[in-house]
Amino acid sequence: MKPRRFFIETWGCQMNELDSQRMNSQLMGEGILPTRDARQADIILLNSCSVREKAAHKAYSRLGEYRKLKRSRPHLMLGFCGCVAQQEGEKALARLPDLDFVVGPGRIGELAQIVAARTKGRRMVATGFPDARVRNYQLDAISRETTYKGMVTIIEGCDKKCTFCIVPSTRGPEQSRPLDDILREVRHLLAYGFVEIELLGQTVNHWRDPSTGDDFAVLLDRVAALPGLARLRFITSYPRDFTPAMIEQVGRHPNICPYLHLPVQSGSDRILRRMGRGYTVDTYRALAVRLRMTRADLALSTDLIVGFPGETEDDFAATMRLVEEMRFSQVFAFKYSPRPGTAAPRLPETAVPRPIADQRLKRLFALQEGIQQELNAELVGSSQEVLITGWGKEAGSQTGRTACHRIVHFEHDDPPAALGTLTRVRIEHALPHSLRGCRVTPPQTRLAAGAEAGNKAVAGRRELHPLSTP
Ligand code: SF4
């Protein structure tokens, strides 16, 4: 009998990406195999993201495309997963009579049972946030996309109430995983030859061990000290939650990458208050200065929302000034879009007209593009450690990431180094969004067999952005 096949389409942040990896391994554990072609699949899962505008509309329209496949393949099972699925719940099953199940992010760990129940005939909605959701992680039950970079969730959900953000309702209340579980998972990955670990959470630096109360500084220290870990990243940090002890750890461990995503959202105190962020531009600035004093090579990236309700030209000018001053290595900027159930749409003062928000966003991108080009140009002539992560578009080239997360293209040797190899590249050209150079040393770290192939089982279109929003 031919094995069943599944296809997962993933939208959104690293959390969703990791959730897809968890879904992937659960299905593989049931003997269902991945396919890169949705038309060959017996199970299609849409892992949706609700951060952007018209998220539900986009998700239903995508599901509509998959439903067409059901006409010629009536046995095809269609699952709606992720943050929009959490929001829509029962409504989705009622609206789409041929939708087979709905699974929210808090119930991903139950996918295998849900598929089994549907195979027996039951349509299901599994949403909500069980108390034990972070204690039920099975370390082997994640089908990693590569064999060199592993993402590890340390905290789920968010208790903050930023007025524009839907995350607290789609990912539920905050829950931290125990320190020992996290260390066990990281050790497990290192034993398999992983060299880079990325700790994930909507407010990653708000993690606390549920029994001892140890904070993120302790966790950073313990994880960074694990033998064999070449690179440690974490995303996304909430500015208000950064403590001096955490900054100290960033300075103390050279394997903590000098790249930090620290969303500021606006350069205007008035707008930050309306967003309910709980910090001012000055406190953000002071934090950035302290971090840069601790690590001179630190690259900071940020999120910005343009056109938040009531944003005046003066508020926007303050954001532009902050961007000029901070010289972020990357800015993820978006036009404000009202999300269901959030407080911002109810704020007094009218929304910023769309043409004005469009124009502000364009000005912001133009400013940032120039800054990025200058920052990249400063690296020309330097030698950078690069983790090789892929093949370049041009024949004979490979790509990788510096510790400060810049993309580097370089010509490969013959034979090329395996993906997951750490190497050194001398930077020769700066492009607006990447660097080009040539390798100056042979590979330093080789991974276990199969590293090049990676596990590409999580197939499908990706629209990735950083965890964003904290
Ligand atoms: S923006 Fe970040 S910190 Fe604020 S509510 Fe959303 S996830 Fe939480």
Side-chain angles (χ1 to χ4, degrees):
M1 206 175 79
K2 255 175 62 182
R4 287 202 289 169
R5 302 248 166 209
F6 69 89
F7 175 87
I8 304 177
E9 175 169 330
T10 309
W11 296 353
C13 65
Q14 289 95 327
M15 288 286 229
N16 257 19
E17 200 183 346
L18 186 56
D19 282 346
S20 287
Q21 294 177 11
R22 293 175 66 205
M23 296 197 281
N24 183 327
S25 63
Q26 287 180 64
L27 296 178
M28 295 224 284
E30 299 300 310
I32 310 169
L33 301 179
T35 171
R36 288 172 176 277
D37 182 356
R39 288 164 309 179
Q40 306 295 322
D42 305 288
I43 300 174
I44 294 179
L45 304 173
L46 175 66
N47 194 4
S48 59
C49 165
S50 61
V51 169
R52 302 282 165 261
E53 202 174 7
K54 298 191 183 134
H57 173 79
K58 283 183 195 155
Y60 280 115
S61 123
R62 193 74 185 137
L63 288 168
E65 287 171 40
Y66 288 134
R67 289 169 70 209
K68 287 183 200 153
L69 295 177
K70 274 195 145 193
R71 289 185 203 142
S72 52
R73 297 167 66 86
H75 72 281
L76 173 65
M77 218 183 258
L78 185 55
F80 187 12
C81 315
C83 294
V84 185
Q86 167 62 38
Q87 263 172 268
E88 293 295 294
E90 296 282 353
K91 265 195 290 176
L93 274 200
R95 181 167 165 177
L96 308 179
D98 50 359
L99 182 65
D100 293 282
F101 52 83
V102 178
V103 190
R107 307 282 297 275
I108 288 296
E110 298 165 43
L111 181 69
Q113 294 96 295
I114 292 166
V115 167
R118 181 55 184 146
T119 308
K120 288 184 190 144
R122 217 172 122 215
R123 291 173 86 211
M124 272 186 78
V125 173
T127 49
F129 308 99
D131 282 347
R133 73 192 199 272
V134 296
R135 288 192 289 279
N136 290 342
Y137 278 39
Q138 289 168 14
L139 302 191
D140 280 322
I142 302 178
S143 193
R144 307 284 176 177
E145 198 172 350
T146 74
T147 50
Y148 48 88
K149 176 176 173 173
M151 294 183 286
V152 174
T153 298
I154 63 163
I155 177 170
E156 285 265 10
C158 181
D159 287 343
K160 298 192 167 61
K161 296 270 179 288
C162 302
T163 57
F164 56 83
C165 184
I166 197 167
V167 166
S169 62
T170 56
R171 289 212 162 248
E174 206 172 85
Q175 244 186 55
S176 292
R177 287 177 73 193
L179 176 64
D180 288 347
D181 280 6
I182 296 166
L183 292 174
R184 199 172 320 124
E185 183 169 349
V186 176
R187 279 197 204 100
H188 177 84
L189 290 169
L190 296 177
Y192 274 95
F194 282 69
V195 290
E196 180 170 312
I197 297 294
E198 186 166 43
L199 306 176
L200 299 185
Q202 294 294 341
T203 50
V204 75
N205 55 341
H206 203 236
W207 174 89
R208 275 197 181 266
D209 183 86
S211 16
T212 63
D214 281 341
D215 72 357
F216 187 63
V218 174
L219 177 71
L220 271 185
D221 193 28
R222 296 287 301 277
V223 175
L226 290 174
L229 178 57
R231 288 183 170 188
L232 176 58
R233 301 186 185 278
F234 48 95
I235 193 167
T236 294
S237 301
Y238 191 73
R240 205 177 63 200
D241 293 332
F242 239 105
T243 64
M246 292 172 200
I247 298 173
E248 194 189 318
Q249 294 306 332
V250 172
R252 195 162 155 231
H253 293 281
N255 60 350
I256 296 181
C257 290
Y259 170 84
L260 202 59
H261 187 65
L262 197 62
V264 63
Q265 305 297 5
S266 171
S268 153
D269 282 341
R270 197 179 74 87
I271 295 297
L272 287 177
R273 267 195 308 279
R274 290 167 68 79
M275 289 175 166
R277 297 289 288 175
Y279 56 82
T280 62
V281 175
D282 273 350
T283 52
Y284 182 92
R285 185 183 283 121
L287 172 62
V289 168
R290 276 203 304 277
L291 281 161
R292 282 175 166 158
M293 277 165 63
T294 306
R295 285 288 287 267
D297 54 347
L298 188 81
L300 277 183
S301 66
T302 203
D303 289 343
L304 285 163
I305 295 175
V306 167
F308 188 80
E311 184 191 70
T312 62
E313 192 52 40
D314 281 353
D315 294 319
F316 177 67
T319 296
M320 294 286 271
R321 280 199 300 278
L322 186 71
V323 168
E324 251 175 287
E325 176 193 335
M326 297 301 305
R327 295 177 67 75
F328 294 111
S329 67
Q330 221 175 340
V331 165
F332 300 90
F334 305 98
K335 260 182 311 179
Y336 168 77
S337 68
R339 314 304 304 122
T342 56
R346 298 192 303 274
L347 288 170
E349 291 190 76
T350 47
V352 174
R354 183 176 275 264
I356 293 181
D358 285 341
Q359 192 236 28
R360 286 181 188 166
L361 192 62
K362 246 170 129 177
R363 282 161 60 197
L364 179 57
F365 281 144
L367 172 63
Q368 178 58 23
E369 176 121 353
I371 292 170
Q372 251 168 255
Q373 180 95 48
E374 284 168 17
L375 291 174
N376 282 351
E378 284 169 15
L379 293 177
V380 172
S382 70
S383 155
Q384 298 286 324
E385 184 200 68
V386 170
L387 178 67
I388 304 176
T389 54
W391 303 97
K393 284 191 192 128
E394 293 160 25
S397 71
Q398 285 186 302
T399 63
R401 292 266 183 183
T402 64
C404 58
H405 218 236
R406 288 192 172 83
I407 298 170
V408 181
H409 308 281
F410 57 93
E411 263 179 44
H412 65 63
D413 300 333
D414 202 10
L419 303 191
T421 300
L422 281 166
T423 190
R424 283 229 151 245
V425 174
R426 193 177 56 250
I427 306 302
E428 293 175 335
H429 299 288
L431 307 168
H433 303 287
S434 61
L435 301 162
R436 187 167 291 146
C438 64
R439 278 181 71 195
V440 290
T441 56
Q444 291 175 347
T445 309
R446 284 243 166 219
L447 299 179
E452 302 98 307
N455 181 346
K456 297 291 177 202
V458 181
R461 189 180 66 165
R462 289 171 182 279
E463 294 179 359
L464 294 179
H465 52 75
L467 276 186
S468 204
T469 65

